[in-house]
Amino acid sequence: MSDASRILAGVILLTVVTIQFGGYFMTKIVRGQVPMTDFQQNFARAGHAHAGVLVILSLVGLLCVDQTNLGGFLLWVARLAIPIAAILMSGGFFASSAGKDRTQPNQFIWVLWLGAASLAVGVLTLGIGLIVA
């Protein structure tokens, strides 16, 4: 594993603590200790789930990226786009459902879609990089 991928993997692993805190917060939500609409509960679950899954995918991606012949800008896209998607997508779920008694996404839903675009760019770049290596 390259030094850049190793350091990034270490940073990504440190974010697991925030996901753990999110899990604790989810237990408060499902026990009714945090008042939320059904929409907000669903978006909280989705935000938490996307964070966890995309962090794991980010770590797998880092194991793969050094097996490609990508260089320069495309190498960094393959390394960073998936972890950036984890931040943007989970943040988009939370930000777009913020507010008292919200029953539909607010204007911050664009953050979720920006994260989806980052994920698509990252997995396409990494996948193609692996195929042509």
Side-chain angles (χ1 to χ4, degrees):
M1 181 177 264
S2 67
D3 285 345
S5 291
R6 179 182 50 78
I7 291 167
L8 188 55
V11 171
I12 290 169
L13 283 168
L14 294 177
T15 70
V16 171
V17 175
T18 65
I19 299 168
Q20 286 179 290
F21 177 77
Y24 167 72
F25 186 68
M26 286 300 306
T27 65
K28 292 180 75 167
I29 292 170
V30 298
R31 289 185 303 208
Q33 295 174 346
V34 179
M36 289 187 163
T37 65
D38 287 342
F39 161 75
Q40 289 171 316
Q41 287 182 12
N42 289 334
F43 263 45
R45 282 187 187 103
H48 184 64
H50 277 77
V53 168
L54 292 176
V55 161
I56 293 168
L57 182 59
S58 296
L59 292 169
V60 171
L62 289 174
L63 292 173
C64 295
V65 74
D66 293 327
Q67 304 305 311
T68 70
N69 294 324
L70 295 171
F73 177 74
L74 289 178
L75 175 62
W76 284 101
V77 167
R79 269 195 188 118
L80 293 175
I82 300 170
I84 288 170
I87 295 165
L88 292 174
M89 290 183 78
S90 59
F93 278 112
F94 293 118
S96 67
S97 64
K100 186 171 174 53
D101 299 325
R102 184 158 295 283
T103 59
Q104 60 185 1
N106 64 27
Q107 70 274 14
F108 294 109
I109 193 71
W110 66 267
V111 177
L112 171 61
W113 298 120
L114 184 62
S118 181
L119 178 61
V121 168
V123 296
L124 286 170
T125 302
L126 181 55
I128 293 168
L130 286 167
I131 290 168
V132 301

